[in-house]
């Protein structure tokens, strides 16, 4: 049984961060909509109420009846969560005279309170609210104040219920993680045993139970998430898992062959489908990036479904959906506002049920689980690669010749990044590949004049793109060493027939994007 903390999401942008911090403490947690507290879950050890974009006195504010939770589990309300508990118990919440944003210090706090164990004097906390609690019921005790906010934190007398008006989950709250640790470990009694190994054990047992002897289909992309999901399922149900890996012909050089080989070495039951001819034919003459994406998406579903239909006794479709993929798909009322690309497109008559073993994990956790499962490092540490593949890196129409040129240039760049090592401040050696978030080559729709030997040339130009990022939402161009760029440029121009010019993209996101299309 996996003990867990439940985070009730009232819609704050930092809810996900609360989850992250708790996982970093090796405590498992789940974020659920504010009104979807799990029923009959014996594993719940404590509850956190998140912040919210609303004010508690707004007519449309999210409200929830805590009577079934209070007294049963320890509760920590953060920002709106704290205001909601105070307000719904007869306290007053009003617009703050000066909106309280940013840095503040806990001038006084109750050092003996369990929430503040090992918290430093005058510790910095981060405020972000337009409202403030101006009075609390008699049985609420103030346990911390700042110079502007008298009721910065409270505890209900004789109960394990706390409220903090600041955000312990954000980086700028210096002892925020300590406070969260005090709550989840000391108060809730969580054992900090969540680890990749424990995740694998629990999930394999759960999958065995969930799927039993049924047959499962899974679409592999070569990426980290689907690979980890496949190996996890393989461990649980072995040959009852059939994986389908579609080659749309727009993968990196030799990628289909290499990755298929890796999958086979991992013991997976994989069907590799080379459908590149179909994709090339349907993409002929198409230049609009969104049209390319649509055609590829449609063809992919067609090819995948044709294979899936052959597995007539399949009962489940497994996907490598991870937690951040679902954030966009779910809002706090539980309604779907945008479908993630992993979801949908299945033939309905197959009546498949969805199995998503990684749906609560963050990307770095998926990698940890993958390592735990013995997946080789070159699969785990792979850069993200867009679903439509090189189609969105060939500006203009797509031909087999252009794909070939791009694959060759891209291979030189990526191999170069893997081979070029530098030392960091601690003397640790890492490859440029591991230092960047994502890299690739773009084939530009221009030709330019060059000279090779005594010959005038008129050939293509490519752009190298490498970025640093933590989540692909924002990115900076990677400051690769000049000597490295010089070597790659030389190699590409000398070895890839049809290219006589190499440029380096020095745009950040925003305002640019990572891909060019
Ligand atoms: P942009 O170009 O929007 O890319 O900065 C952000 C991240 O998303 C990837 N990307 C895609 N992934 N299908 C995908 O599966 C797509 O159509 C697609 N377009 C961009 C991109 O490689 C980067 O990691």
């Amino acid at each position: 049984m996996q003990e867990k903390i439940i985070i009730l999401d009232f819609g704050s942008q930092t809810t996900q961060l609360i989850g992250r911090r708790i996982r970093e403490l090796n405590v498992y947690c789940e974020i659920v909509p504010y009104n979807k507290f799990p029923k009959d879950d014996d594993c719940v050890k404590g509850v956190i109420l998140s912040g919210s974009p609303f004010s508690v006195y707004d007519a449309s504010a999210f409200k929830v009846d805590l009577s079934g939770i209070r007294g049963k589990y320890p509760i920590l309300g953060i920002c709106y969560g704290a205001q909601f508990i105070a307000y719904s118990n007869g306290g007053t919440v009003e617009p703050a005279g000066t909106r309280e944003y940013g840095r503040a210090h806990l001038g006084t706090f109750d050092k003996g309170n369990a929430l503040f164990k090992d918290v430093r004097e005058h510790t910095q906390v981060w405020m972000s609210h337009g409202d403030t609690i101006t009075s609390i019921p008699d049985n609420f005790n103030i346990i911390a104040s700042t110079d502007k906010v008298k009721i910065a934190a409270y505890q209900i007398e004789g109960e394990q219920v706390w409220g903090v008006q600041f955000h312990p989950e954000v980086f700028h709250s210096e002892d925020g993680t300590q406070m969260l640790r005090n709550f989840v470990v000391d108060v809730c009694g969580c054992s900090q045993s969540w680890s990749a190994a424990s995740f694998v054990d629990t999930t394999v047992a759960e999958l065995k139970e969930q799927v039993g002897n049924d047959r499962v289909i899974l679409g592999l992309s070569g990426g980290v998430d689907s690979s980890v999901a496949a190996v996890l399922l393989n461990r649980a149900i072995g040959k009852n898992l059939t994986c389908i890996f579609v080659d749309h012909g727009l993968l990196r050089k030799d990628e289909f062959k290499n990755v298929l080989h890796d999958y086979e070495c991992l013991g997976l039951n994989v069907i590799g489908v080379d459908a590149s001819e179909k994709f090339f034919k349907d993409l002929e003459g198409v230049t609009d990036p969104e049209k390319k994406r649509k055609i590829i998406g449609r063809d992919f579903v067609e090819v995948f479904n044709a294979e899936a239909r052959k597995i007539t006794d399949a009962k489940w479709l497994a996907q490598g959906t991870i937690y951040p993929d679902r954030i966009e798909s779910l809002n706090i009322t539980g309604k779907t506002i945008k479908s993630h690309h992993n979801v949908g497109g299945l033939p309905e008559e197959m009546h498949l049920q969805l199995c998503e073993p990684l749906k609560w994990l963050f990307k770095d956790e998926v990698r940890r689980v993958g390592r735990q499962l013995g997946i080789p490092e070159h699969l785990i540490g792979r850069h993200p690669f867009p679903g439509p593949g090189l189609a969105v890196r060939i500006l203009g129409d797509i031909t087999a010749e252009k794909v070939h040129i791009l694959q060759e240039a891209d291979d030189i760049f990526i191999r170069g990044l893997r081979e070029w090592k530098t030392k960091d401040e601690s003397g640790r050696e890492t490859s440029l590949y591991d230092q960047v978030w994502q890299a690739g080559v773009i084939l530009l729709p221009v030709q330019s004049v060059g000279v090779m030997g005594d010959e005038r040339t008129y050939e293509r130009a490519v752009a190298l793109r490498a970025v640093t990022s933590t989540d692909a939402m924002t990115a900076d161009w990677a400051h690769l060493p000049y000597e490295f760029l010089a070597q790659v440029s030389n190699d590409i121009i000398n070895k890839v027939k049809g290219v006589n010019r190499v440029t380096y993209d020095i745009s950040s996101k925003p305002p640019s994007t990572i891909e060019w299309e």
Side-chain angles (χ1 to χ4, degrees), residues 79-320:
C79 196
Y80 175 95
Q83 292 165 359
F84 176 74
I85 297 170
Y87 183 75
S88 54
N89 282 282
T92 338
V93 175
E94 295 176 79
T98 47
R99 295 181 136 237
E100 279 142 358
Y101 290 105
R103 213 177 299 270
H105 293 91
L106 295 188
T108 55
F109 64 89
D110 176 359
K111 295 186 186 63
N113 192 285
L115 198 62
F116 295 133
K117 191 183 102 182
D118 293 337
V119 167
R120 289 164 288 186
E121 301 259 342
H122 210 67
T123 188
Q124 177 176 297
V125 292
W126 201 254
M127 294 284 185
S128 173
H129 53 249
D131 291 333
T132 197
I133 304 172
T134 46
S135 76
I136 42 177
D138 287 346
N139 61 334
F140 282 44
N141 294 324
I142 298 176
I143 56 168
S145 308
T146 70
D147 56 351
K148 285 212 195 78
V149 183
K150 188 162 161 246
I151 311 168
Y154 63 74
Q155 180 178 6
I156 303 183
E157 178 102 36
E159 288 190 43
Q160 291 200 314
V161 179
W162 286 261
V164 295
Q165 288 212 84
F166 51 86
H167 287 270
E169 70 278 19
V170 306
F171 174 75
H172 292 93
S173 287
E174 288 169 344
D175 290 321
T177 303
Q178 178 65 34
M179 294 177 205
L180 291 172
R181 195 215 77 90
N182 293 342
F183 179 71
V184 300
V185 179
D186 294 347
V187 175
C188 302
C190 291
S191 61
Q192 295 187 283
S193 57
W194 193 91
S195 63
S198 72
F199 176 85
V200 169
D201 290 346
T202 335
T203 311
V204 165
E206 281 170 5
L207 286 170
K208 279 184 178 155
E209 175 123 338
Q210 181 186 26
V211 172
N213 289 321
D214 294 346
R215 189 168 290 281
V216 181
I217 307 175
L218 180 144
L220 283 169
S221 68
V224 184
D225 305 342
S226 63
S227 305
V228 172
V231 176
L232 202 50
L233 265 151
N234 184 49
R235 193 169 280 196
I237 62 165
K239 293 294 171 205
N240 275 347
L241 171 71
T242 306
C243 303
I244 300 172
F245 182 25
V246 177
D247 181 9
H248 51 26
L250 298 152
L251 296 170
R252 298 196 133 115
K253 184 181 176 185
D254 294 332
E255 175 142 286
F256 185 64
K257 194 177 73 189
N258 293 342
V259 174
L260 202 55
H261 177 71
D262 284 336
Y263 284 148
E264 282 160 2
C265 292
L266 284 164
L268 297 178
N269 176 17
V270 198
I271 302 170
V273 189
D274 177 0
S276 44
E277 250 180 60
K278 174 182 172 62
F279 283 85
F280 281 169
K281 189 164 151 286
D282 292 347
L283 285 166
E284 215 172 278
V286 179
T287 54
D288 177 66
E290 285 315 302
K291 269 203 192 125
K292 288 181 189 174
R293 280 194 169 82
K294 279 217 173 81
I295 292 169
I296 293 169
R298 184 202 64 201
D299 281 5
F300 190 89
V301 169
E302 269 178 40
V303 174
F304 183 84
N305 288 356
E307 280 310 313
R309 272 200 191 90
K310 294 179 193 163
I311 306 162
T312 50
D313 56 344
K315 296 263 184 352
W316 297 83
L317 178 87
Q319 296 191 142

Side-chain angles (χ1 to χ4, degrees), residues 396-424:
D397 69 325
I398 294 159
T399 63
E401 187 217 355
K402 288 184 188 173
V403 172
H404 177 72
I405 291 175
L406 182 52
Q407 282 178 333
E408 293 299 323
D410 180 77
D411 185 55
I412 291 172
F413 185 36
I414 297 296
R415 257 191 302 124
L417 286 166
R418 284 191 188 280
E419 284 162 15
W420 195 284
K421 308 257 168 50
T422 60
K423 280 193 180 148
D424 65 14

Side-chain angles (χ1 to χ4, degrees), residues 460-472:
R460 295 177 193 282
V462 297
L464 310 180
R465 180 72 163 143
V467 296
T468 53
S469 177
T470 51
D471 52 13

Side-chain angles (χ1 to χ4, degrees), residues 293 341 384-389 392-393 437-438 471-473 475 509 512-517:
R293 280 194 169 82
H341 62 264
F385 186 69
V392 291
R393 293 185 181 168
W437 165 267
Q438 185 169 0
D471 52 13
M473 302 294 285
K509 172 185 178 175
S512 298
T513 51
I514 297 176
E515 304 295 345
W516 279 42
E517 282 197 337

Side-chain angles (χ1 to χ4, degrees), residues 425-438:
E425 283 144 19
S426 65
R428 202 170 63 103
E429 202 172 61
T430 50
S431 68
L432 292 178
Y433 184 89
D434 288 335
Q435 292 168 37
V436 305
W437 165 267
Q438 185 169 0

